[in-house]
Amino acid sequence: MEDLKWSRFIFWAESKNKNKTIVRNTLTTATVRMTNEVKAKIDLVIERGEMPEEHSETFRYIKKLAETEILVPAALNEEEKYLQLFKKARDEDKTFSIYLVLTTDCQFACSYCFERGIDRTKFMSLETAQKIVDWCSAYLDRNRECAKLRIILYGGEPLLNKETIQFILPRLYNIAQNKGLEFETGILTNGELLDIDMLSFLQKHNLDRLQITLDGYGIDHDLRRMRKDGGGTFEKISENIMLALNGDFIQKINLRINFDRQNVDAIPKLLDFFAENGIQKKIELSLGIIAPTICGDLGQRTSDDYLEKFGLNLDESADKFVWLSREAKLRGFGISQEFLVGPWCTARAIHSATIETGGSLMKCISTVGREGFSFGNVFSYCDTIDERFEDFSYLHECLSKKCPFVPICGGGCRFDAYVTTGDISKPYCRRKLVEKINKGLVQLSFEGC
């Protein structure tokens, strides 16, 4: 066996058993728990460059670690390998993904809404919807490598514009059928306006992802996500979640829970609510850390009174994230084995676009309503390439720092990079947060609570 080294994409986490340690490869997701004695033996083998005899236990262990790429050939350029895999994943992604912004309006008045500061009165018309249908058909004719058409309904609150949803989805569905493509529908909604008719309609058009946000149980949610008239929303949303699940309109609901100092300690009550209804396995949890956004003039990161009052620092956010994951696991929910912060999104995919209410094309859903981010429109044919999102030079900077978390971070969210630095092409590093959360999740996933 050739000389080996520890992969540069591994990180180590403490084990409950002080005589053991846990190692995880962020590129391959391989995870192993080993004794400190075994690790010391392997360190010695690597240092000396001398492999133990083939019949020995240490050799067999090293061979297994090499198979999982926790150990890799000493001569391997892992940075170059990662960049090749990154490019390969982009090139081989054959899904044409479209975020449809049905409206920028919303019946809620959430205090932390990241879309504040934009025009909240826009609705997609049927005329624009038809242009989108024509544009999508033309795009698929020119990009015959696409094998799937995926539509995500987005807002504002998309269900405020049910008429356009009911107009455009069947037409896009028919395009996919006529071209022999798979078709999927997803929707990001606050959940208040869901009903049987809409759930049935979405299900007929291959609903595979339904994301609804609840920030707590009862009043804990209502204090944060209230209607514009001040009314609470928890009761109706929770009823609609049960309606969707009990009616078998979808197998799982993605439950988004945004947290900060205002609500985080009360979230276990929400988890109890779903556990008492016995639907933990039908809930996919998505924990969201409230972060700064753009407000006011383009590119200006302004003071945010809400974050000043309720924001958590990086250490607090990481600790609470892991704590909430532990609380969820104790109640029978599935939890993620890793915390991803932006390696893949529609903005980095080749065949992807966000289409605003008026037909403008953008790459990033977080830039909806912001001036200067459109790269074209559906009224004259154009591709889905925005050169600003084709510059991946920031990956080289991240890799040069020998950070093992690049595969699950990818240089950070491009919108966050813009908010922080004013430049989409800059790294947005939150290593301290990423490292702490991922170590905590590894411990929870592989050693329990």
Coordinates of all heavy atoms in Angstrom, one line a residue, residues 66-147:
A66 N -8.7 3.9 4.4 CA -8.3 4.3 3.1 C -9.5 4.1 2.1 O -9.7 4.9 1.2 CB -7.1 3.5 2.6
E67 N -10.3 3.1 2.4 CA -11.4 2.8 1.5 C -12.5 3.9 1.7 O -13.2 4.2 0.7 CB -12.0 1.4 1.9 CG -11.2 0.3 1.4 CD -11.6 -1.1 1.9 OE1 -12.6 -1.1 2.8 OE2 -11.1 -2.1 1.5
T68 N -12.6 4.5 2.9 CA -13.6 5.5 3.1 C -13.0 6.9 2.9 O -13.7 7.9 3.0 CB -14.0 5.5 4.6 OG1 -12.9 5.6 5.5 CG2 -14.7 4.1 4.9
E69 N -11.7 7.0 2.5 CA -11.0 8.2 2.2 C -10.8 9.1 3.4 O -10.6 10.3 3.2 CB -11.7 9.0 1.0 CG -11.7 8.2 -0.3 CD -12.3 9.0 -1.4 OE1 -12.0 10.2 -1.5 OE2 -13.0 8.4 -2.3
I70 N -10.8 8.5 4.5 CA -10.4 9.3 5.7 C -8.9 9.3 5.7 O -8.3 10.3 6.1 CB -10.9 8.6 7.0 CG1 -12.5 8.9 7.1 CG2 -10.2 9.1 8.2 CD1 -13.1 8.3 8.3
L71 N -8.3 8.3 5.2 CA -6.9 8.3 4.8 C -6.8 8.3 3.3 O -7.6 7.6 2.6 CB -6.2 7.0 5.4 CG -5.9 7.0 6.9 CD1 -5.3 5.6 7.3 CD2 -4.9 8.1 7.3
V72 N -5.9 9.1 2.7 CA -5.8 9.2 1.3 C -4.3 9.1 0.9 O -3.4 9.3 1.8 CB -6.3 10.5 0.8 CG1 -7.8 10.6 1.1 CG2 -5.6 11.7 1.4
P73 N -4.0 8.8 -0.4 CA -2.6 8.8 -0.8 C -1.9 10.1 -0.5 O -2.4 11.2 -0.7 CB -2.7 8.5 -2.3 CG -4.0 7.8 -2.5 CD -4.9 8.4 -1.5
A74 N -0.6 9.9 0.0 CA 0.1 11.1 0.4 C 0.4 12.1 -0.7 O 0.5 13.3 -0.5 CB 1.5 10.7 1.0
A75 N 0.4 11.6 -2.0 CA 0.7 12.4 -3.1 C -0.6 13.0 -3.7 O -0.5 13.8 -4.6 CB 1.4 11.6 -4.2
L76 N -1.7 12.7 -3.2 CA -3.0 13.2 -3.7 C -3.2 14.7 -3.5 O -3.0 15.2 -2.4 CB -4.2 12.5 -3.1 CG -5.6 12.9 -3.6 CD1 -5.8 12.7 -5.1 CD2 -6.7 12.2 -2.8
N77 N -3.5 15.4 -4.5 CA -3.8 16.8 -4.4 C -5.3 16.9 -4.2 O -6.1 16.9 -5.1 CB -3.4 17.6 -5.7 CG -3.7 19.1 -5.6 OD1 -4.5 19.6 -4.9 ND2 -2.9 19.9 -6.4
E78 N -5.7 17.0 -2.9 CA -7.1 17.0 -2.6 C -7.8 18.3 -3.0 O -9.0 18.2 -3.3 CB -7.3 16.7 -1.1 CG -6.9 15.3 -0.7 CD -7.3 15.1 0.8 OE1 -6.5 15.4 1.6 OE2 -8.4 14.5 1.0
E79 N -7.1 19.4 -3.0 CA -7.8 20.6 -3.4 C -8.2 20.5 -4.8 O -9.4 20.9 -5.2 CB -6.8 21.8 -3.2 CG -6.5 22.1 -1.8 CD -5.4 21.3 -1.2 OE1 -5.0 20.3 -1.8 OE2 -5.0 21.5 0.0
E80 N -7.3 20.0 -5.7 CA -7.7 19.9 -7.1 C -8.8 18.9 -7.3 O -9.7 19.1 -8.1 CB -6.5 19.5 -7.9 CG -6.7 19.4 -9.4 CD -7.1 20.7 -10.0 OE1 -6.7 21.8 -9.5 OE2 -7.9 20.7 -11.0
K81 N -8.8 17.8 -6.5 CA -9.8 16.8 -6.6 C -11.2 17.4 -6.2 O -12.2 17.2 -6.9 CB -9.5 15.6 -5.6 CG -10.6 14.6 -5.6 CD -10.3 13.4 -4.6 CE -11.5 12.4 -4.6 NZ -11.2 11.3 -3.7
Y82 N -11.2 18.2 -5.2 CA -12.5 18.8 -4.8 C -13.0 19.8 -5.9 O -14.2 19.7 -6.2 CB -12.3 19.7 -3.5 CG -13.4 20.6 -3.2 CD1 -14.7 20.1 -2.8 CD2 -13.3 22.0 -3.4 CE1 -15.7 21.0 -2.6 CE2 -14.4 22.8 -3.2 CZ -15.6 22.3 -2.8 OH -16.6 23.1 -2.6
L83 N -12.1 20.6 -6.5 CA -12.5 21.5 -7.5 C -13.1 20.8 -8.7 O -14.1 21.2 -9.4 CB -11.4 22.4 -7.9 CG -10.9 23.4 -6.8 CD1 -9.6 24.1 -7.3 CD2 -12.0 24.4 -6.6
Q84 N -12.5 19.6 -9.0 CA -13.0 18.8 -10.1 C -14.3 18.2 -9.8 O -15.2 18.2 -10.7 CB -12.0 17.7 -10.5 CG -10.7 18.2 -11.1 CD -9.6 17.1 -11.3 OE1 -9.9 15.9 -10.9 NE2 -8.5 17.4 -11.9
L85 N -14.5 17.8 -8.6 CA -15.8 17.2 -8.2 C -16.9 18.3 -8.2 O -18.0 18.1 -8.5 CB -15.7 16.6 -6.8 CG -14.9 15.3 -6.7 CD1 -14.8 14.8 -5.3 CD2 -15.6 14.2 -7.6
F86 N -16.5 19.5 -7.7 CA -17.4 20.6 -7.7 C -17.9 20.9 -9.2 O -19.1 21.1 -9.4 CB -16.7 21.9 -7.1 CG -17.6 23.1 -7.1 CD1 -18.4 23.3 -6.0 CD2 -17.6 24.0 -8.1 CE1 -19.2 24.5 -5.9 CE2 -18.4 25.2 -8.1 CZ -19.2 25.4 -6.9
K87 N -17.0 21.0 -10.1 CA -17.3 21.2 -11.5 C -18.2 20.1 -12.1 O -19.1 20.3 -12.8 CB -16.0 21.4 -12.3 CG -16.3 21.7 -13.8 CD -15.0 21.9 -14.5 CE -15.3 22.4 -16.0 NZ -16.1 21.4 -16.7
K88 N -17.8 18.9 -11.7 CA -18.5 17.7 -12.2 C -20.0 17.7 -11.7 O -20.9 17.4 -12.5 CB -17.8 16.4 -11.8 CG -18.4 15.1 -12.3 CD -17.5 14.0 -11.9 CE -17.9 12.7 -12.5 NZ -19.1 12.1 -11.8
A89 N -20.2 18.1 -10.5 CA -21.5 18.1 -9.9 C -22.4 19.1 -10.6 O -23.5 18.9 -10.9 CB -21.5 18.4 -8.4
R90 N -21.8 20.3 -10.9 CA -22.5 21.3 -11.7 C -22.8 20.8 -13.1 O -24.0 21.0 -13.5 CB -21.7 22.6 -11.8 CG -21.6 23.4 -10.5 CD -20.9 24.7 -10.8 NE -21.9 25.7 -11.3 CZ -21.7 26.4 -12.4 NH1 -20.6 26.3 -13.1 NH2 -22.6 27.3 -12.8
D91 N -21.9 20.3 -13.8 CA -22.0 19.9 -15.2 C -23.0 18.7 -15.3 O -23.7 18.7 -16.3 CB -20.7 19.5 -15.8 CG -19.7 20.6 -15.9 OD1 -20.2 21.8 -15.9 OD2 -18.5 20.4 -16.1
E92 N -23.1 17.9 -14.3 CA -24.0 16.7 -14.4 C -25.3 16.9 -13.8 O -26.2 16.0 -13.8 CB -23.3 15.5 -13.7 CG -22.0 15.1 -14.5 CD -21.4 13.8 -13.9 OE1 -21.8 13.4 -12.8 OE2 -20.4 13.3 -14.4
D93 N -25.6 18.1 -13.3 CA -26.9 18.4 -12.7 C -27.9 18.7 -13.9 O -27.8 19.7 -14.5 CB -26.9 19.6 -11.8 CG -28.2 19.9 -11.1 OD1 -29.2 19.2 -11.4 OD2 -28.3 20.9 -10.4
K94 N -28.8 17.8 -14.1 CA -29.7 17.9 -15.3 C -31.1 18.3 -14.9 O -32.1 18.1 -15.7 CB -29.8 16.5 -16.0 CG -28.4 15.9 -16.4 CD -27.6 16.9 -17.2 CE -26.2 16.4 -17.6 NZ -25.3 17.4 -18.2
T95 N -31.3 18.9 -13.7 CA -32.5 19.4 -13.3 C -32.6 20.9 -13.7 O -31.8 21.7 -13.3 CB -32.8 19.2 -11.8 OG1 -32.7 17.8 -11.5 CG2 -34.1 19.8 -11.4
F96 N -33.7 21.3 -14.4 CA -34.0 22.7 -14.6 C -34.9 23.2 -13.5 O -36.1 22.8 -13.4 CB -34.7 22.8 -16.0 CG -35.0 24.2 -16.5 CD1 -34.2 25.3 -16.0 CD2 -36.0 24.4 -17.3 CE1 -34.5 26.6 -16.4 CE2 -36.3 25.7 -17.8 CZ -35.5 26.8 -17.3
S97 N -34.3 24.0 -12.6 CA -35.0 24.4 -11.4 C -35.4 25.9 -11.6 O -34.6 26.7 -11.9 CB -34.1 24.3 -10.2 OG -33.7 23.0 -10.0
I98 N -36.7 26.2 -11.3 CA -37.2 27.5 -11.4 C -38.0 27.9 -10.2 O -38.9 27.2 -9.7 CB -38.2 27.6 -12.6 CG1 -37.5 27.3 -13.9 CG2 -38.8 29.1 -12.7 CD1 -38.5 27.2 -15.1
Y99 N -37.5 29.0 -9.5 CA -38.3 29.6 -8.4 C -39.2 30.6 -9.0 O -38.8 31.6 -9.7 CB -37.3 30.3 -7.4 CG -36.8 29.3 -6.4 CD1 -35.7 28.5 -6.7 CD2 -37.3 29.3 -5.1 CE1 -35.2 27.6 -5.7 CE2 -36.8 28.4 -4.1 CZ -35.8 27.6 -4.5 OH -35.3 26.7 -3.5
L100 N -40.5 30.4 -8.9 CA -41.5 31.4 -9.4 C -41.9 32.3 -8.3 O -42.5 31.9 -7.3 CB -42.7 30.6 -9.9 CG -42.5 29.8 -11.2 CD1 -43.8 29.1 -11.6 CD2 -42.1 30.7 -12.4
V101 N -41.7 33.6 -8.4 CA -42.1 34.6 -7.4 C -43.5 35.0 -7.8 O -43.7 35.9 -8.7 CB -41.1 35.7 -7.4 CG1 -41.6 36.7 -6.2 CG2 -39.7 35.3 -7.1
L102 N -44.5 34.4 -7.2 CA -45.9 34.7 -7.6 C -46.3 36.1 -7.1 O -47.2 36.7 -7.7 CB -46.8 33.6 -7.0 CG -46.9 32.3 -7.7 CD1 -47.4 32.5 -9.2 CD2 -45.7 31.5 -7.7
T103 N -45.8 36.5 -6.0 CA -46.1 37.9 -5.5 C -45.1 38.2 -4.4 O -44.4 37.4 -3.8 CB -47.5 37.9 -4.8 OG1 -47.7 39.2 -4.2 CG2 -47.6 36.9 -3.7
T104 N -44.9 39.5 -4.3 CA -44.0 40.0 -3.2 C -44.8 40.4 -2.0 O -44.3 40.7 -0.9 CB -43.2 41.2 -3.6 OG1 -44.1 42.3 -4.0 CG2 -42.2 40.9 -4.8
D105 N -46.1 40.2 -2.1 CA -47.0 40.6 -1.0 C -47.1 39.4 0.0 O -46.8 38.3 -0.3 CB -48.4 40.9 -1.5 CG -49.3 41.5 -0.5 OD1 -48.8 42.0 0.6 OD2 -50.5 41.6 -0.7
C106 N -47.5 39.7 1.3 CA -47.6 38.7 2.3 C -48.6 39.3 3.3 O -48.7 40.5 3.6 CB -46.3 38.4 3.0 SG -46.4 37.1 4.2
Q107 N -49.5 38.4 3.8 CA -50.5 38.8 4.8 C -49.9 38.8 6.2 O -50.6 39.3 7.2 CB -51.7 37.8 4.8 CG -51.5 36.5 5.4 CD -50.9 35.4 4.5 OE1 -50.1 35.8 3.6 NE2 -51.2 34.2 4.7
F108 N -48.6 38.4 6.4 CA -47.9 38.4 7.7 C -47.1 39.7 7.8 O -46.8 40.4 6.9 CB -47.0 37.3 7.8 CG -47.7 36.0 8.1 CD1 -49.1 35.8 7.9 CD2 -47.0 34.9 8.6 CE1 -49.7 34.6 8.2 CE2 -47.6 33.6 8.8 CZ -49.0 33.5 8.6
A109 N -46.8 40.0 9.1 CA -45.9 41.1 9.4 C -44.8 40.7 10.3 O -44.6 41.2 11.5 CB -46.7 42.2 10.1
C110 N -44.0 39.7 9.9 CA -42.9 39.1 10.7 C -41.9 40.2 10.9 O -41.4 40.8 9.9 CB -42.3 37.9 10.0 SG -43.5 36.6 9.6
S111 N -41.5 40.4 12.1 CA -40.5 41.4 12.5 C -39.1 41.2 11.9 O -38.4 42.2 11.7 CB -40.4 41.6 14.0 OG -40.1 40.3 14.6
Y112 N -38.8 40.0 11.6 CA -37.4 39.7 11.1 C -37.4 39.4 9.6 O -36.4 38.9 9.1 CB -36.8 38.5 11.8 CG -37.6 37.2 11.7 CD1 -37.4 36.4 10.6 CD2 -38.5 36.8 12.7 CE1 -38.1 35.2 10.5 CE2 -39.2 35.7 12.6 CZ -39.0 34.8 11.5 OH -39.7 33.7 11.4
C113 N -38.5 39.7 8.9 CA -38.6 39.3 7.4 C -37.4 39.8 6.6 O -37.0 41.0 6.7 CB -39.8 39.9 6.9 SG -40.1 39.5 5.1
F114 N -36.7 39.0 5.9 CA -35.5 39.4 5.1 C -35.9 40.1 3.8 O -35.0 40.7 3.2 CB -34.7 38.1 4.8 CG -35.1 37.3 3.6 CD1 -34.6 37.5 2.4 CD2 -36.1 36.3 3.7 CE1 -35.0 36.8 1.3 CE2 -36.5 35.6 2.7 CZ -35.9 35.8 1.4
E115 N -37.2 40.1 3.5 CA -37.6 40.8 2.3 C -38.1 42.3 2.6 O -38.6 43.0 1.7 CB -38.7 40.1 1.6 CG -38.3 38.8 1.0 CD -39.4 38.1 0.2 OE1 -40.6 38.4 0.4 OE2 -39.0 37.3 -0.7
R116 N -37.8 42.7 3.8 CA -38.2 44.1 4.1 C -37.4 45.1 3.3 O -36.3 44.8 2.9 CB -38.0 44.4 5.6 CG -36.5 44.4 6.0 CD -36.4 44.5 7.6 NE -35.1 44.7 8.0 CZ -34.1 43.7 8.1 NH1 -34.4 42.5 7.7 NH2 -32.9 44.0 8.5
G117 N -38.1 46.2 3.0 CA -37.4 47.2 2.2 C -37.6 47.1 0.7 O -37.2 48.0 -0.1
I118 N -38.4 46.1 0.2 CA -38.7 46.0 -1.2 C -40.2 46.3 -1.4 O -40.9 46.4 -0.5 CB -38.4 44.6 -1.8 CG1 -39.4 43.5 -1.2 CG2 -36.9 44.2 -1.4 CD1 -39.2 42.1 -1.8
D119 N -40.5 46.5 -2.7 CA -41.9 46.8 -3.0 C -42.8 45.5 -2.8 O -42.6 44.5 -3.4 CB -42.0 47.2 -4.5 CG -43.4 47.6 -4.9 OD1 -44.4 47.3 -4.2 OD2 -43.5 48.1 -6.0
R120 N -43.7 45.5 -1.8 CA -44.5 44.4 -1.4 C -45.8 44.3 -2.1 O -46.8 43.7 -1.6 CB -44.6 44.3 0.1 CG -43.3 44.4 0.9 CD -42.3 43.3 0.5 NE -42.8 41.9 0.7 CZ -42.7 41.3 1.9 NH1 -42.1 41.8 2.9 NH2 -43.2 40.1 2.0
T121 N -46.0 45.0 -3.2 CA -47.3 45.1 -3.9 C -47.4 44.3 -5.2 O -48.4 44.4 -5.9 CB -47.7 46.5 -4.1 OG1 -46.8 47.1 -5.0 CG2 -47.7 47.3 -2.8
K122 N -46.4 43.6 -5.6 CA -46.3 43.1 -6.9 C -46.9 41.7 -7.0 O -46.7 40.8 -6.1 CB -44.9 43.1 -7.5 CG -44.3 44.4 -7.6 CD -42.9 44.4 -8.2 CE -42.3 45.8 -8.4 NZ -40.9 45.7 -9.0
F123 N -47.7 41.4 -8.1 CA -48.3 40.1 -8.3 C -47.9 39.7 -9.8 O -47.9 40.5 -10.7 CB -49.8 40.1 -8.2 CG -50.2 40.1 -6.7 CD1 -50.1 41.2 -5.9 CD2 -50.8 38.9 -6.2 CE1 -50.5 41.2 -4.6 CE2 -51.2 38.9 -4.9 CZ -51.1 40.0 -4.1
M124 N -47.7 38.4 -10.0 CA -47.5 37.9 -11.3 C -48.8 37.8 -12.1 O -49.7 37.2 -11.6 CB -46.8 36.5 -11.3 CG -46.4 36.0 -12.7 SD -45.6 34.3 -12.6 CE -44.0 34.8 -11.9
S125 N -48.9 38.4 -13.2 CA -50.1 38.3 -14.0 C -50.1 37.0 -14.9 O -49.1 36.4 -15.1 CB -50.2 39.5 -15.0 OG -49.1 39.4 -16.0
L126 N -51.3 36.7 -15.4 CA -51.5 35.6 -16.3 C -50.7 35.8 -17.6 O -50.2 34.8 -18.1 CB -52.9 35.3 -16.6 CG -53.8 35.0 -15.4 CD1 -55.3 34.7 -15.8 CD2 -53.3 33.8 -14.5
E127 N -50.6 37.0 -18.0 CA -49.8 37.3 -19.2 C -48.4 37.0 -19.0 O -47.7 36.4 -19.9 CB -50.0 38.8 -19.6 CG -51.4 39.1 -20.1 CD -52.4 39.3 -19.0 OE1 -52.0 39.4 -17.8 OE2 -53.6 39.3 -19.3
T128 N -47.8 37.4 -17.9 CA -46.4 37.1 -17.6 C -46.2 35.6 -17.4 O -45.2 35.0 -17.9 CB -46.0 37.9 -16.3 OG1 -46.1 39.3 -16.6 CG2 -44.5 37.5 -16.0
A129 N -47.2 35.0 -16.8 CA -47.1 33.5 -16.6 C -47.0 32.8 -17.9 O -46.3 31.8 -18.0 CB -48.3 33.0 -15.8
Q130 N -47.8 33.2 -18.9 CA -47.7 32.6 -20.2 C -46.4 32.8 -20.9 O -45.8 31.9 -21.5 CB -48.8 33.2 -21.1 CG -48.9 32.5 -22.5 CD -49.1 31.0 -22.4 OE1 -50.1 30.5 -21.8 NE2 -48.2 30.2 -23.0
K131 N -45.8 34.0 -20.7 CA -44.5 34.2 -21.2 C -43.4 33.3 -20.6 O -42.5 32.8 -21.2 CB -44.1 35.7 -21.0 CG -44.8 36.7 -21.9 CD -44.5 36.5 -23.3 CE -45.1 37.6 -24.2 NZ -44.8 37.5 -25.6
I132 N -43.6 33.1 -19.3 CA -42.7 32.1 -18.6 C -42.8 30.7 -19.2 O -41.8 30.0 -19.4 CB -43.0 32.2 -17.1 CG1 -42.6 33.5 -16.5 CG2 -42.3 31.0 -16.4 CD1 -43.1 33.7 -15.1
V133 N -44.1 30.3 -19.4 CA -44.3 29.0 -20.0 C -43.6 28.9 -21.4 O -42.8 27.9 -21.6 CB -45.8 28.7 -20.2 CG1 -46.0 27.5 -21.0 CG2 -46.5 28.6 -18.9
D134 N -43.7 29.9 -22.2 CA -43.0 29.9 -23.5 C -41.5 29.9 -23.4 O -40.8 29.2 -24.1 CB -43.5 31.1 -24.3 CG -45.0 31.2 -24.6 OD1 -45.6 30.1 -24.6 OD2 -45.5 32.3 -24.9
W135 N -41.0 30.7 -22.4 CA -39.6 30.8 -22.2 C -39.0 29.4 -21.7 O -38.0 29.0 -22.2 CB -39.3 31.9 -21.2 CG -37.8 32.0 -20.8 CD1 -36.8 32.6 -21.6 CD2 -37.1 31.4 -19.7 NE1 -35.6 32.5 -21.0 CE2 -35.8 31.8 -19.8 CE3 -37.6 30.6 -18.6 CZ2 -34.8 31.4 -18.9 CZ3 -36.6 30.2 -17.7 CH2 -35.3 30.6 -17.8
C136 N -39.7 28.8 -20.8 CA -39.3 27.5 -20.3 C -39.3 26.4 -21.4 O -38.3 25.6 -21.5 CB -40.2 27.0 -19.2 SG -40.0 27.9 -17.7
S137 N -40.3 26.4 -22.3 CA -40.3 25.5 -23.4 C -39.1 25.7 -24.3 O -38.5 24.8 -24.7 CB -41.6 25.7 -24.1 OG -41.7 24.7 -25.2
A138 N -38.9 27.0 -24.6 CA -37.7 27.3 -25.5 C -36.4 26.9 -24.9 O -35.5 26.4 -25.5 CB -37.7 28.8 -25.8
Y139 N -36.3 27.1 -23.5 CA -35.0 26.8 -22.8 C -34.8 25.2 -22.9 O -33.7 24.8 -23.2 CB -35.1 27.2 -21.4 CG -33.8 26.9 -20.6 CD1 -32.8 27.9 -20.6 CD2 -33.6 25.7 -20.0 CE1 -31.6 27.7 -20.0 CE2 -32.4 25.5 -19.4 CZ -31.4 26.5 -19.3 OH -30.2 26.2 -18.7
L140 N -35.8 24.5 -22.7 CA -35.7 23.0 -22.7 C -35.4 22.5 -24.1 O -34.7 21.5 -24.3 CB -37.0 22.4 -22.1 CG -37.1 22.6 -20.6 CD1 -38.5 22.2 -20.2 CD2 -36.1 21.8 -19.9
D141 N -35.9 23.2 -25.1 CA -35.6 22.8 -26.5 C -34.1 23.0 -26.8 O -33.5 22.2 -27.6 CB -36.5 23.7 -27.5 CG -37.9 23.2 -27.6 OD1 -38.2 22.1 -27.2 OD2 -38.8 24.0 -28.0
R142 N -33.6 24.1 -26.2 CA -32.1 24.4 -26.5 C -31.2 23.6 -25.5 O -30.0 23.5 -25.8 CB -31.9 25.9 -26.3 CG -32.6 26.7 -27.3 CD -32.1 28.1 -27.3 NE -32.9 29.0 -28.1 CZ -32.5 30.2 -28.6 NH1 -31.3 30.6 -28.2 NH2 -33.2 30.9 -29.3
N143 N -31.7 23.1 -24.5 CA -30.9 22.4 -23.5 C -31.5 21.0 -23.3 O -32.1 20.7 -22.2 CB -30.9 23.2 -22.2 CG -30.2 24.5 -22.3 OD1 -29.0 24.6 -22.2 ND2 -31.0 25.5 -22.6
R144 N -31.3 20.1 -24.3 CA -32.0 18.8 -24.3 C -31.4 17.8 -23.3 O -31.9 16.8 -23.1 CB -32.0 18.2 -25.7 CG -32.8 19.1 -26.7 CD -32.9 18.4 -28.0 NE -33.7 19.3 -28.9 CZ -35.0 19.2 -29.0 NH1 -35.7 18.4 -28.2 NH2 -35.7 20.0 -29.9
E145 N -30.3 18.3 -22.7 CA -29.7 17.4 -21.6 C -30.5 17.4 -20.3 O -30.3 16.5 -19.5 CB -28.2 17.8 -21.3 CG -28.1 19.2 -20.6 CD -28.0 20.3 -21.6 OE1 -28.4 20.2 -22.8 OE2 -27.5 21.4 -21.2
C146 N -31.4 18.4 -20.2 CA -32.2 18.4 -19.0 C -33.1 17.3 -18.9 O -33.8 16.9 -19.9 CB -33.0 19.8 -18.9 SG -31.9 21.2 -18.7
A147 N -33.2 16.6 -17.8 CA -34.1 15.4 -17.6 C -35.2 15.7 -16.7 O -36.1 14.8 -16.5 CB -33.2 14.3 -17.1

